[in-house]
Amino acid sequence: MKNRIKLLLLILPYFLFSFTTQEDVLSYFVTAKSGLNYRDAANGKILGKLPYLAEVKIVAYTGIFDEIKDENKLIKGEWVGVLQNNKTVYVFNAFLSTSKIEVSLEQNTILNKDQENLYAGFKVFDLTNNSDIENSPGFVNLSELLDYEEEQGVSMVPQKYLESISREESRSYLKIEDTYRDYFFKNTKISKTDKLFIYNYELDVLLTFNLKDLDVVIYLSPYEGHTSGITDSDYMYGFKIDAKHIKNWGKYSLNSFVYLGKENPFTRGKMKPMIWTKIPPSQFPLDLKSYSVTIDQKLKGLYTFKNDDLTYYYSDYGHLVVLDAEKKVKLNEILYQGESASLAPISIVGEESSETEKEQWAGTLFKDKPSVLFGFHYVSFGCPAITVLDGKSSYIHILCDNRH
């Protein structure tokens, strides 16, 4: 009898907290810019990805809690069940928000469909490397383009890399060929006749490659700590760039963008690092009383920078204003600071050093497109964005596969 009572006490919380009633079902929105993986079970096999700002409804609470460490930050949350195509799938709820307005402010995005879709077909990637290997080749990660649900039993990974792999193999780029390579192109919807363009805006160097000449490689995601029972979704997929092509590029993941297509979209020689000059409060173009912070925070540091016909103003609090030659406002934002992103340091005239990273950049990056700026955030979850100064608060979201 005592054993039955103990069993009842163990089961009862599951029924009390694992399922929701219809009245309890609320709408949630995905806060991860790169999207949020959904799985067949709590921390199980990845089935697909929910896009940024996708609306979902939580229908089950698993009671399984987890921690994710990224950028030295520890994020805690619970694996929850949400509806996807009338099926229950599982996501990590640390990347869900009940407020779409809150999400839009956090990501500095105006939720207007016309503005949101202005650059929807314009895909920009970053160039990364294998941090475990010194002087490793570059890696263009295209995992964001994959739809794991479309695989239908066809694998892009050789069987020997799905059963178990050695530690050395798990830290290496593994080349895939023949059928596996063909399926990679088919699933990502990339044409083999396209080209890959890498633009290092700091060095003003442009590289062009034919996709048919590049190795397609897989690399075990650093978020997957195991080396056995591996699935296709545990890997990252993309193109390898030989180290000889990017020699002496420094931290190229911080100074380069990648584009795939027929034509080069980049304009060379028109991006400048933003080196800021301190100014008194009287020169700041907007009324500082609009801040909902203390006067000490308002006056902590005010700066300006000029490039072409645009003048930029910035405060240490994160208030960013851009005016054109006619003093019309092109941008006016208080940048988000929180768990998912923090403000990057700025370079100030008279305080530069050889070790100072050039974080913020401004100018014309793309042909026939407005000026842009970027580099104001350190992003822990999701991917950074390029701000387009078209007066509509448009953004080009960089596809970086910061998976969770």
Side-chain angles (χ1 to χ4, degrees), residues 26-31 55-56 58 61 93 95-103:
L26 298 175
S27 291
Y28 290 80
F29 302 93
V30 173
T31 62
E55 182 178 352
V56 297
I58 295 179
Y61 293 86
N93 74 349
F95 305 102
L96 298 178
S97 170
T98 57
S99 171
K100 195 169 187 177
I101 296 176
E102 175 186 327
V103 172

Side-chain angles (χ1 to χ4, degrees), residues 2-224:
K2 290 182 179 180
N3 289 337
R4 290 181 180 178
I5 293 174
K6 289 180 179 179
L7 181 61
L8 180 61
L9 291 174
L10 288 172
I11 294 175
L12 186 57
Y14 178 81
F15 285 101
L16 287 175
F17 301 109
S18 293
F19 297 95
T20 63
T21 65
Q22 188 65 33
E23 290 76 12
D24 294 329
V25 175
L26 298 175
S27 291
Y28 290 80
F29 302 93
V30 173
T31 62
K33 274 187 180 179
S34 60
L36 181 62
N37 288 329
Y38 60 87
R39 304 168 185 258
D40 62 351
N43 205 13
K45 178 181 177 181
I46 296 175
L47 301 176
K49 179 176 289 189
L50 298 168
Y52 169 60
L53 294 182
E55 182 178 352
V56 297
K57 294 185 182 297
I58 295 179
V59 295
Y61 293 86
T62 66
I64 300 174
F65 296 86
D66 209 342
E67 297 179 348
I68 293 178
K69 188 175 183 181
D70 194 80
E71 297 286 338
N72 295 320
K73 294 181 180 179
L74 198 62
I75 300 301
K76 300 180 180 181
E78 180 182 1
W79 290 97
V80 297
V82 300
L83 287 179
Q84 175 70 5
N85 297 327
N86 295 320
K87 294 182 179 179
T88 300
V89 296
Y90 296 86
V91 299
F92 193 52
N93 74 349
F95 305 102
L96 298 178
S97 170
T98 57
S99 171
K100 195 169 187 177
I101 296 176
E102 175 186 327
V103 172
S104 68
L105 290 174
E106 175 176 323
Q107 303 295 354
N108 302 315
T109 303
I110 293 180
L111 301 177
N112 177 298
K113 287 187 177 180
D114 293 335
Q115 294 171 9
E116 189 177 5
N117 293 333
L118 184 59
Y119 298 95
F122 197 79
K123 294 183 173 62
V124 177
F125 303 85
D126 61 359
L127 179 65
T128 62
N129 69 338
N130 186 331
S131 59
D132 289 335
I133 303 175
E134 187 176 356
N135 299 320
S136 70
F139 179 54
V140 180
N141 188 342
L142 302 184
S143 303
E144 294 277 14
L145 302 182
L146 296 174
D147 186 344
Y148 297 109
E149 285 195 325
E150 289 187 359
E151 291 182 16
Q152 298 177 349
V154 180
S155 175
M156 285 182 292
V157 181
Q159 188 62 32
K160 62 180 178 179
Y161 297 137
L162 291 177
E163 296 171 350
S164 64
I165 61 176
S166 67
R167 175 169 175 78
E168 182 178 352
E169 288 174 326
S170 72
R171 298 168 60 214
S172 304
Y173 296 122
L174 308 172
K175 183 178 178 180
I176 59 174
E177 301 179 276
D178 305 324
T179 303
Y180 303 105
R181 179 185 172 93
D182 291 340
Y183 190 71
F184 166 81
F185 278 96
K186 179 181 177 181
N187 190 281
T188 55
K189 298 178 175 60
I190 297 172
S191 172
K192 293 181 182 179
T193 62
D194 279 353
K195 296 179 181 180
L196 185 147
F197 303 93
I198 304 176
Y199 180 51
N200 183 320
Y201 48 84
E202 182 173 10
L203 300 179
D204 192 27
V205 174
L206 177 69
L207 300 180
T208 304
F209 302 91
N210 294 315
L211 293 189
K212 63 182 180 62
D213 298 329
L214 293 176
D215 289 342
V216 177
V217 297
I218 59 175
Y219 174 54
L220 193 64
S221 167
Y223 291 98
E224 305 299 335

Side-chain angles (χ1 to χ4, degrees), residues 187-381:
N187 190 281
T188 55
K189 298 178 175 60
I190 297 172
S191 172
K192 293 181 182 179
T193 62
D194 279 353
K195 296 179 181 180
L196 185 147
F197 303 93
I198 304 176
Y199 180 51
N200 183 320
Y201 48 84
E202 182 173 10
L203 300 179
D204 192 27
V205 174
L206 177 69
L207 300 180
T208 304
F209 302 91
N210 294 315
L211 293 189
K212 63 182 180 62
D213 298 329
L214 293 176
D215 289 342
V216 177
V217 297
I218 59 175
Y219 174 54
L220 193 64
S221 167
Y223 291 98
E224 305 299 335
H226 53 265
T227 55
S228 62
I230 300 169
T231 68
D232 279 40
S233 59
D234 292 328
Y235 282 98
M236 300 185 293
Y237 301 77
F239 293 108
K240 183 179 77 171
I241 309 299
D242 286 342
K244 64 182 181 182
H245 297 300
I246 50 180
K247 186 178 181 181
N248 301 322
W249 272 28
K251 296 181 179 180
Y252 48 76
S253 62
L254 302 179
N255 60 22
S256 303
F257 292 127
V258 180
Y259 179 83
L260 279 67
K262 305 294 183 187
E263 303 288 339
N264 167 42
F266 298 108
T267 295
R268 295 180 57 185
K270 296 187 177 181
M271 291 300 300
K272 291 184 180 180
M274 304 179 80
I275 312 299
W276 299 87
T277 301
K278 287 185 177 180
I279 57 174
S282 60
Q283 292 184 23
F284 201 79
L286 299 180
D287 186 0
L288 291 171
K289 294 179 181 178
S290 62
Y291 284 118
S292 59
V293 294
T294 66
I295 190 65
D296 289 339
Q297 287 176 303
K298 294 174 186 177
L299 304 180
K300 185 178 180 182
L302 301 172
Y303 313 89
T304 189
F305 169 79
K306 187 173 179 58
N307 184 27
D308 297 329
D309 62 344
L310 296 175
T311 304
Y312 305 77
Y313 297 90
Y314 186 70
S315 78
D316 280 341
Y317 179 63
H319 194 169
L320 179 61
V321 180
V322 183
L323 304 182
D324 64 14
E326 298 177 352
K327 305 299 182 183
K328 293 181 179 178
V329 177
K330 302 290 289 184
L331 183 74
N332 178 19
E333 287 186 353
I334 295 180
L335 303 180
Y336 170 77
Q337 300 180 62
E339 190 174 51
S340 62
S342 58
L343 296 180
I346 64 173
S347 298
I348 303 171
V349 172
E351 299 181 13
E352 309 101 312
S353 71
S354 59
E355 297 180 356
T356 301
E357 296 286 349
K358 300 181 179 72
E359 301 285 355
Q360 295 83 34
W361 289 77
T364 304
L365 181 61
F366 303 108
K367 296 177 181 177
D368 304 319
K369 291 190 181 292
S371 295
V372 303
L373 56 84
F374 52 83
F376 288 86
H377 278 120
Y378 286 151
V379 179
S380 299
F381 306 103

